[in-house]
Amino acid sequence: MAAARLSTDFAGLLRGELDSLLGRFAVAVDDIAAARSALSKARALIGSEGLRELLAAELAASEAATRTALAASGGQWAISTTEIVSDRGSAAGFVEWFGLARTTDARAIWTDACPDHYIIATLADGRQEVVEVTGGAVLASRFFVDYADSTGVPVSADPAYPLAVAGTAALADGTVVGGVRHQFRDEPGGGFRSRLAVAFPAAVPGLYIAEHEWHLACEFGNWITAYLR
């Protein structure tokens, strides 16, 4: 699907994504390493500005849909949650690694973690620009995560998880459209547990919320693997 976007085959892209969501077709993974490498190289060759240009119409449509969902939600939120347990590493170690990758703008680490990522870049003001396909959505969206502002994040803090990475998610004009609260703790037998949560406007279809659990599992599974290396 990402390859179709980058080739501007939008009609084929939308048909393919809808078919995949409804049909749950098996996907061959024999050449997944080569596919990841090719997609990474394509993103690098096109560049951030080129990606924004390719996705401009799609991003405008998804922003309009997000504003509609936000207005229909009445201040309520739906939470997509995934848990991952690693038998190696530590909660503090991963949080430190994750924060360093963000502050140093290690873009390859961010974008390569999931094929649904197009741009993840740390801006001069510390916010993170994200252009990705969330959950079961068929359009890419653009938002900004502010990790310096966690007061309004609509995901409750769990005292059983002493470490967290949290921030609000907003559109370019500052309209808050959700937030993230990723929480971590060490496990008694070694390793650590991650409770990963993203808040969406409550009017977003339930399928999208459920599908975003797989998005979280993919990206954080790859980030944890990179940290452990």
Coordinates of all heavy atoms in Angstrom, one line a residue, residues 86-171:
S86 N 9.1 -7.6 26.6 CA 10.4 -8.0 26.1 C 11.1 -8.7 27.2 O 11.0 -8.3 28.4 CB 11.2 -6.7 25.7 OG 12.6 -7.1 25.5
D87 N 11.7 -9.8 26.9 CA 12.4 -10.6 28.0 C 13.9 -10.1 28.2 O 14.6 -10.6 29.0 CB 12.5 -12.1 27.7 CG 13.2 -12.4 26.3 OD1 13.7 -11.5 25.7 OD2 13.2 -13.6 26.0
R88 N 14.2 -9.0 27.5 CA 15.5 -8.4 27.6 C 15.4 -6.9 27.7 O 14.3 -6.3 27.4 CB 16.5 -8.7 26.4 CG 16.8 -10.2 26.3 CD 17.8 -10.4 25.2 NE 17.2 -10.2 23.9 CZ 17.8 -9.5 22.9 NH1 19.0 -8.9 23.1 NH2 17.2 -9.4 21.8
G89 N 16.4 -6.2 28.2 CA 16.4 -4.7 28.3 C 15.7 -4.3 29.5 O 15.3 -5.1 30.4
S90 N 15.5 -3.0 29.6 CA 14.8 -2.4 30.8 C 13.9 -1.3 30.4 O 14.1 -0.7 29.3 CB 15.8 -1.9 31.8 OG 16.5 -0.8 31.3
A91 N 12.9 -1.0 31.2 CA 12.0 0.1 30.9 C 12.8 1.4 30.8 O 12.6 2.2 29.8 CB 10.9 0.2 32.0
A92 N 13.7 1.7 31.7 CA 14.4 3.0 31.7 C 15.3 3.0 30.5 O 15.5 4.1 29.9 CB 15.3 3.1 33.0
G93 N 15.9 1.9 30.2 CA 16.8 1.8 29.0 C 16.1 2.2 27.7 O 16.6 2.9 26.9
F94 N 14.9 1.6 27.6 CA 14.1 1.8 26.3 C 13.7 3.3 26.3 O 13.7 3.9 25.2 CB 12.9 0.9 26.2 CG 12.1 1.2 25.0 CD1 12.6 0.8 23.7 CD2 10.9 1.8 25.1 CE1 11.9 1.1 22.6 CE2 10.2 2.1 23.9 CZ 10.7 1.8 22.7
V95 N 13.1 3.8 27.4 CA 12.6 5.2 27.4 C 13.8 6.1 27.1 O 13.6 7.1 26.3 CB 12.0 5.5 28.8 CG1 11.7 7.0 28.9 CG2 10.7 4.7 28.9
E96 N 15.0 5.9 27.6 CA 16.1 6.7 27.3 C 16.5 6.6 25.8 O 16.7 7.7 25.1 CB 17.3 6.3 28.1 CG 18.6 7.2 27.8 CD 19.8 6.7 28.7 OE1 19.7 5.7 29.3 OE2 20.8 7.5 28.7
W97 N 16.5 5.4 25.2 CA 16.8 5.2 23.8 C 15.7 5.9 22.9 O 16.1 6.6 22.0 CB 16.8 3.7 23.5 CG 17.0 3.4 22.1 CD1 18.2 3.2 21.4 CD2 16.0 3.2 21.1 NE1 18.0 2.9 20.1 CE2 16.7 3.0 19.9 CE3 14.6 3.3 21.1 CZ2 16.0 2.7 18.7 CZ3 13.9 3.1 19.9 CH2 14.6 2.8 18.7
F98 N 14.5 5.8 23.3 CA 13.4 6.4 22.6 C 13.5 7.9 22.6 O 13.3 8.5 21.5 CB 12.1 5.9 23.2 CG 10.8 6.2 22.4 CD1 10.4 5.4 21.4 CD2 10.1 7.3 22.7 CE1 9.3 5.6 20.7 CE2 8.9 7.6 22.0 CZ 8.5 6.7 21.0
G99 N 13.8 8.5 23.7 CA 13.9 9.9 23.8 C 15.1 10.5 23.0 O 15.0 11.5 22.4
L100 N 16.2 9.7 23.1 CA 17.4 10.2 22.3 C 17.1 10.1 20.8 O 17.5 11.1 20.1 CB 18.6 9.3 22.7 CG 19.9 9.7 22.0 CD1 20.3 11.1 22.5 CD2 21.0 8.6 22.4
A101 N 16.4 9.1 20.3 CA 16.1 9.0 18.9 C 15.2 10.2 18.5 O 15.4 10.7 17.4 CB 15.4 7.7 18.6
R102 N 14.3 10.6 19.4 CA 13.5 11.7 19.1 C 14.2 13.0 19.1 O 14.1 13.8 18.1 CB 12.3 11.8 20.1 CG 11.4 13.0 19.9 CD 10.1 12.8 20.8 NE 10.5 12.7 22.2 CZ 10.7 13.7 23.0 NH1 10.7 14.9 22.5 NH2 11.0 13.5 24.2
T103 N 15.0 13.3 20.1 CA 15.7 14.6 20.2 C 16.8 14.8 19.2 O 17.1 15.9 18.8 CB 16.2 14.8 21.7 OG1 17.1 13.7 22.0 CG2 15.1 14.9 22.7
T104 N 17.3 13.7 18.7 CA 18.4 13.8 17.7 C 17.8 13.7 16.3 O 18.6 13.7 15.3 CB 19.5 12.7 17.9 OG1 18.8 11.4 17.9 CG2 20.2 12.9 19.2
D105 N 16.5 13.6 16.2 CA 15.8 13.5 14.9 C 16.4 12.4 14.0 O 16.7 12.6 12.9 CB 16.0 14.9 14.2 CG 15.0 15.0 13.0 OD1 14.0 14.3 13.0 OD2 15.3 15.9 12.1
A106 N 16.4 11.2 14.6 CA 16.9 10.0 13.9 C 15.8 9.5 13.0 O 15.1 8.5 13.3 CB 17.4 8.9 14.9
R107 N 15.6 10.1 11.9 CA 14.4 9.9 11.1 C 14.3 8.4 10.5 O 13.2 7.9 10.4 CB 14.4 10.9 9.9 CG 14.3 12.3 10.4 CD 14.0 13.3 9.3 NE 14.0 14.6 9.8 CZ 13.6 15.7 9.1 NH1 13.2 15.5 7.8 NH2 13.6 16.9 9.6
A108 N 15.4 7.8 10.2 CA 15.4 6.5 9.7 C 14.8 5.5 10.7 O 14.0 4.6 10.4 CB 16.8 6.0 9.2
I109 N 15.2 5.7 12.0 CA 14.7 4.8 13.0 C 13.2 5.0 13.1 O 12.5 4.0 13.3 CB 15.3 5.2 14.4 CG1 16.8 4.7 14.4 CG2 14.5 4.6 15.6 CD1 17.5 5.2 15.7
W110 N 12.7 6.2 13.0 CA 11.2 6.4 13.2 C 10.5 5.9 12.0 O 9.5 5.1 12.1 CB 11.0 7.9 13.3 CG 11.5 8.5 14.6 CD1 12.7 9.3 14.7 CD2 11.0 8.3 15.9 NE1 12.9 9.6 16.0 CE2 11.9 9.0 16.8 CE3 9.9 7.6 16.4 CZ2 11.7 9.0 18.1 CZ3 9.7 7.6 17.8 CH2 10.6 8.3 18.6
T111 N 10.9 6.3 10.8 CA 10.1 5.9 9.6 C 10.2 4.4 9.3 O 9.2 3.8 8.8 CB 10.4 6.7 8.4 OG1 11.8 6.6 8.1 CG2 10.1 8.2 8.6
D112 N 11.3 3.8 9.5 CA 11.5 2.4 9.1 C 10.8 1.4 10.0 O 10.7 0.3 9.7 CB 13.0 2.1 9.0 CG 13.7 2.7 7.9 OD1 13.0 3.4 7.0 OD2 14.9 2.6 7.8
A113 N 10.2 1.9 11.1 CA 9.6 1.0 12.0 C 8.2 0.5 11.6 O 7.7 -0.5 12.1 CB 9.4 1.7 13.4
C114 N 7.6 1.2 10.6 CA 6.3 0.7 10.1 C 6.1 1.2 8.7 O 6.4 2.4 8.4 CB 5.2 1.3 11.0 SG 3.5 0.8 10.6
P115 N 5.6 0.4 7.8 CA 5.4 0.8 6.4 C 4.4 1.9 6.3 O 4.3 2.6 5.3 CB 5.0 -0.4 5.7 CG 4.5 -1.4 6.7 CD 5.3 -1.0 7.9
D116 N 3.5 2.1 7.3 CA 2.5 3.2 7.3 C 3.1 4.6 7.7 O 2.4 5.6 7.7 CB 1.4 2.9 8.3 CG 0.5 1.7 7.8 OD1 0.5 1.5 6.6 OD2 -0.1 1.1 8.6
H117 N 4.4 4.6 8.0 CA 5.1 5.9 8.3 C 5.6 6.5 7.1 O 6.4 5.8 6.3 CB 6.2 5.7 9.3 CG 5.8 5.2 10.7 ND1 6.7 4.7 11.6 CD2 4.6 5.1 11.3 CE1 6.1 4.4 12.7 NE2 4.8 4.6 12.5
Y118 N 5.4 7.8 6.9 CA 5.9 8.5 5.7 C 6.9 9.5 6.2 O 8.0 9.6 5.6 CB 4.8 9.1 4.9 CG 4.0 8.0 4.2 CD1 2.9 7.4 4.7 CD2 4.5 7.5 3.0 CE1 2.2 6.4 4.1 CE2 3.9 6.4 2.3 CZ 2.7 5.9 2.9 OH 2.1 4.8 2.3
I119 N 6.5 10.3 7.1 CA 7.5 11.3 7.7 C 7.3 11.3 9.2 O 6.2 11.4 9.7 CB 7.2 12.8 7.2 CG1 7.3 12.8 5.7 CG2 8.1 13.8 7.8 CD1 6.8 14.1 5.1
I120 N 8.4 11.2 10.0 CA 8.4 11.5 11.4 C 9.6 12.3 11.7 O 10.7 11.7 11.6 CB 8.3 10.2 12.2 CG1 7.1 9.3 11.9 CG2 8.3 10.5 13.7 CD1 7.0 8.1 12.7
A121 N 9.4 13.5 12.0 CA 10.6 14.5 12.1 C 10.4 15.3 13.3 O 9.3 15.8 13.6 CB 10.7 15.3 10.8
T122 N 11.5 15.5 14.0 CA 11.5 16.4 15.2 C 11.8 17.8 14.7 O 12.8 18.1 14.1 CB 12.6 16.0 16.2 OG1 12.3 14.6 16.6 CG2 12.6 16.9 17.4
L123 N 10.9 18.7 15.1 CA 11.0 20.1 14.6 C 11.9 20.9 15.6 O 12.2 20.5 16.7 CB 9.6 20.7 14.5 CG 8.6 20.0 13.7 CD1 7.3 20.7 13.7 CD2 9.1 19.8 12.2
A124 N 12.2 22.1 15.2 CA 13.0 23.0 16.0 C 12.4 23.3 17.4 O 13.2 23.5 18.4 CB 13.3 24.3 15.3
D125 N 11.1 23.3 17.5 CA 10.4 23.6 18.8 C 10.2 22.3 19.6 O 9.6 22.4 20.7 CB 9.1 24.3 18.6 CG 8.1 23.5 17.8 OD1 8.4 22.3 17.5 OD2 7.0 24.0 17.4
G126 N 10.8 21.2 19.2 CA 10.7 19.9 19.9 C 9.5 19.1 19.6 O 9.5 17.9 20.0
R127 N 8.5 19.6 18.9 CA 7.3 18.8 18.5 C 7.8 17.8 17.4 O 8.8 18.0 16.8 CB 6.2 19.7 18.0 CG 5.5 20.5 19.0 CD 4.4 21.4 18.3 NE 5.0 22.1 17.2 CZ 4.3 22.5 16.1 NH1 3.0 22.1 16.0 NH2 4.8 23.2 15.2
Q128 N 7.0 16.8 17.3 CA 7.3 15.8 16.3 C 6.2 15.8 15.2 O 5.0 15.6 15.5 CB 7.4 14.4 16.9 CG 8.2 13.4 16.1 CD 8.4 12.1 16.9 OE1 7.5 11.5 17.5 NE2 9.7 11.7 17.0
E129 N 6.6 16.1 14.0 CA 5.7 16.0 12.9 C 5.5 14.6 12.4 O 6.5 13.9 12.2 CB 6.2 16.9 11.7 CG 5.3 16.8 10.5 CD 5.9 17.4 9.2 OE1 7.1 17.7 9.2 OE2 5.1 17.5 8.2
V130 N 4.3 14.1 12.3 CA 4.0 12.8 11.9 C 3.1 12.7 10.7 O 2.0 13.4 10.7 CB 3.3 12.0 13.1 CG1 3.1 10.5 12.6 CG2 4.2 12.0 14.3
V131 N 3.5 12.1 9.6 CA 2.7 11.8 8.5 C 2.6 10.3 8.3 O 3.6 9.6 8.1 CB 3.2 12.5 7.2 CG1 2.3 12.1 6.0 CG2 3.3 14.0 7.3
E132 N 1.4 9.7 8.6 CA 1.3 8.3 8.6 C -0.2 7.9 8.3 O -1.1 8.7 8.3 CB 1.7 7.7 9.9 CG 0.8 8.0 11.1 CD 1.2 7.4 12.4 OE1 2.3 6.9 12.5 OE2 0.3 7.3 13.3
V133 N -0.4 6.6 8.1 CA -1.7 6.1 8.0 C -2.0 5.4 9.4 O -1.3 4.5 9.8 CB -1.8 5.0 6.9 CG1 -3.2 4.4 6.9 CG2 -1.5 5.6 5.5
T134 N -3.0 5.9 10.1 CA -3.3 5.4 11.4 C -4.3 4.2 11.3 O -5.3 4.3 10.5 CB -3.9 6.5 12.3 OG1 -5.1 7.0 11.7 CG2 -2.9 7.6 12.5
G135 N -4.0 3.2 12.0 CA -5.0 2.1 12.2 C -5.5 1.6 10.8 O -4.8 1.4 9.9
G136 N -6.8 1.5 10.8 CA -7.5 1.0 9.5 C -7.9 2.1 8.6 O -8.6 1.8 7.7
A137 N -7.3 3.3 8.8 CA -7.7 4.4 7.8 C -7.1 4.0 6.4 O -6.2 3.3 6.3 CB -7.0 5.7 8.3
V138 N -7.8 4.6 5.4 CA -7.3 4.4 4.1 C -6.6 5.7 3.5 O -6.2 5.7 2.4 CB -8.5 4.0 3.1 CG1 -9.0 2.6 3.5 CG2 -9.6 5.0 3.1
L139 N -6.5 6.7 4.3 CA -5.9 8.0 3.9 C -4.8 8.3 5.0 O -4.9 8.1 6.2 CB -6.9 9.1 3.9 CG -8.0 9.0 2.9 CD1 -9.0 10.2 3.1 CD2 -7.5 9.0 1.5
A140 N -3.7 8.8 4.5 CA -2.6 9.3 5.4 C -3.1 10.5 6.1 O -3.9 11.3 5.5 CB -1.3 9.6 4.6
S141 N -2.6 10.8 7.3 CA -2.9 12.0 8.0 C -1.6 12.7 8.5 O -0.6 12.0 8.6 CB -3.8 11.7 9.2 OG -3.2 10.7 10.1
R142 N -1.8 13.9 8.9 CA -0.6 14.7 9.4 C -1.0 15.4 10.7 O -2.0 16.0 10.8 CB -0.2 15.8 8.3 CG 1.0 16.6 8.8 CD 1.3 17.6 7.7 NE 2.5 18.4 7.9 CZ 2.5 19.7 8.0 NH1 1.4 20.4 7.8 NH2 3.6 20.4 8.2
F143 N -0.2 15.2 11.7 CA -0.4 15.8 13.0 C 0.9 16.0 13.7 O 2.0 15.6 13.2 CB -1.3 14.9 13.8 CG -0.9 13.5 14.0 CD1 -0.1 13.1 15.0 CD2 -1.3 12.5 13.1 CE1 0.3 11.8 15.2 CE2 -0.8 11.2 13.2 CZ 0.0 10.8 14.2
F144 N 0.9 16.7 14.8 CA 2.1 17.1 15.5 C 1.9 16.6 17.0 O 1.0 16.9 17.6 CB 2.3 18.6 15.5 CG 2.5 19.1 14.1 CD1 1.3 19.3 13.3 CD2 3.7 19.3 13.5 CE1 1.5 19.8 11.9 CE2 3.9 19.7 12.2 CZ 2.7 20.0 11.4
V145 N 2.9 15.9 17.5 CA 2.9 15.4 18.9 C 3.8 16.3 19.7 O 5.0 16.4 19.4 CB 3.3 13.9 19.0 CG1 3.3 13.4 20.4 CG2 2.5 13.0 18.1
D146 N 3.3 16.8 20.8 CA 4.1 17.7 21.7 C 4.3 16.9 23.0 O 3.5 16.8 23.8 CB 3.3 19.0 21.9 CG 4.1 20.0 22.8 OD1 5.2 19.6 23.2 OD2 3.6 21.1 22.9
Y147 N 5.5 16.4 23.1 CA 5.9 15.6 24.3 C 6.2 16.4 25.5 O 6.3 15.9 26.6 CB 7.1 14.7 24.0 CG 6.7 13.5 23.0 CD1 7.1 13.6 21.7 CD2 6.0 12.4 23.5 CE1 6.8 12.6 20.8 CE2 5.7 11.4 22.6 CZ 6.1 11.5 21.3 OH 5.8 10.4 20.4
A148 N 6.2 17.8 25.3 CA 6.4 18.7 26.4 C 5.0 19.0 27.1 O 5.0 19.7 28.1 CB 7.1 20.0 26.0
D149 N 3.9 18.6 26.4 CA 2.6 18.9 26.9 C 1.8 17.6 27.1 O 1.2 17.1 26.1 CB 1.9 19.8 25.9 CG 0.4 20.1 26.4 OD1 0.1 19.9 27.5 OD2 -0.3 20.6 25.5
S150 N 1.8 17.1 28.3 CA 1.0 15.8 28.6 C -0.2 16.1 29.5 O -0.9 15.1 29.8 CB 1.9 14.8 29.2 OG 2.5 15.3 30.4
T151 N -0.4 17.3 29.9 CA -1.5 17.6 30.8 C -2.9 17.3 30.3 O -3.8 16.8 31.0 CB -1.5 19.1 31.3 OG1 -1.6 19.9 30.1 CG2 -0.2 19.4 32.0
G152 N -3.1 17.4 29.0 CA -4.4 17.2 28.4 C -4.5 15.9 27.7 O -5.5 15.6 27.0
V153 N -3.6 15.0 27.9 CA -3.7 13.7 27.2 C -4.8 12.8 27.8 O -4.8 12.6 29.0 CB -2.3 12.9 27.4 CG1 -2.5 11.5 26.8 CG2 -1.2 13.7 26.7
P154 N -5.8 12.4 27.0 CA -6.9 11.7 27.5 C -6.7 10.2 27.7 O -7.6 9.4 27.4 CB -8.0 12.0 26.4 CG -7.2 12.2 25.1 CD -5.9 12.8 25.5
V155 N -5.5 9.9 28.2 CA -5.2 8.5 28.5 C -4.7 8.5 30.0 O -3.8 9.2 30.3 CB -4.1 7.9 27.6 CG1 -3.9 6.4 28.0 CG2 -4.6 7.9 26.2
S156 N -5.4 7.7 30.8 CA -5.1 7.8 32.3 C -3.7 7.2 32.5 O -3.3 6.2 31.9 CB -6.1 7.0 33.1 OG -7.4 7.6 32.9
A157 N -3.0 7.8 33.5 CA -1.7 7.2 33.9 C -2.0 6.1 34.9 O -2.8 6.1 35.7 CB -0.9 8.3 34.6
D158 N -1.2 5.0 34.7 CA -1.3 3.8 35.5 C -0.2 3.8 36.5 O 1.0 3.7 36.1 CB -1.3 2.6 34.6 CG -1.6 1.3 35.4 OD1 -1.4 1.3 36.6 OD2 -2.0 0.3 34.8
P159 N -0.4 3.9 37.8 CA 0.7 3.9 38.8 C 1.5 2.6 38.8 O 2.6 2.6 39.3 CB -0.1 4.0 40.1 CG -1.5 3.6 39.9 CD -1.8 4.0 38.4
A160 N 1.0 1.5 38.2 CA 1.8 0.3 38.1 C 2.9 0.4 37.0 O 3.8 -0.4 37.0 CB 0.9 -0.9 37.7
Y161 N 2.9 1.5 36.2 CA 3.9 1.8 35.2 C 4.6 3.1 35.6 O 4.1 4.2 35.3 CB 3.3 1.9 33.8 CG 2.7 0.5 33.3 CD1 1.5 0.0 33.8 CD2 3.5 -0.2 32.4 CE1 1.1 -1.2 33.4 CE2 3.0 -1.4 31.9 CZ 1.8 -1.9 32.4 OH 1.3 -3.1 32.0
P162 N 5.8 3.0 36.2 CA 6.4 4.2 36.7 C 7.0 5.1 35.6 O 7.3 6.3 35.9 CB 7.5 3.7 37.6 CG 7.8 2.3 37.1 CD 6.5 1.8 36.6
L163 N 7.2 4.6 34.4 CA 7.8 5.4 33.4 C 6.8 5.6 32.2 O 6.1 4.7 31.9 CB 9.1 4.8 32.8 CG 10.3 4.6 33.8 CD1 11.4 3.9 33.2 CD2 10.7 6.0 34.3
A164 N 6.9 6.8 31.6 CA 5.9 7.1 30.5 C 6.5 8.1 29.5 O 7.3 8.9 29.9 CB 4.6 7.6 31.1
V165 N 6.0 8.0 28.3 CA 6.3 8.9 27.2 C 4.9 9.4 26.8 O 4.1 8.6 26.3 CB 7.0 8.3 26.1 CG1 7.2 9.3 24.9 CG2 8.4 7.8 26.5
A166 N 4.6 10.7 27.0 CA 3.2 11.1 26.7 C 3.2 12.5 26.1 O 4.1 13.3 26.3 CB 2.4 11.2 28.0
G167 N 2.2 12.8 25.3 CA 2.1 14.1 24.6 C 0.8 14.2 23.9 O 0.1 13.2 23.6
T168 N 0.4 15.5 23.7 CA -0.8 15.8 22.9 C -0.5 15.7 21.4 O 0.6 16.0 21.0 CB -1.4 17.1 23.3 OG1 -0.4 18.1 23.1 CG2 -1.8 17.2 24.7
A169 N -1.6 15.4 20.7 CA -1.5 15.3 19.2 C -2.4 16.4 18.7 O -3.6 16.5 19.1 CB -1.9 14.0 18.7
A170 N -1.9 17.2 17.8 CA -2.7 18.4 17.3 C -2.5 18.5 15.8 O -1.5 18.1 15.2 CB -2.3 19.7 18.0
L171 N -3.4 19.2 15.1 CA -3.3 19.6 13.7 C -2.3 20.8 13.6 O -1.9 21.3 14.7 CB -4.7 19.9 13.1 CG -5.7 18.8 13.1 CD1 -7.0 19.3 12.6 CD2 -5.2 17.6 12.3

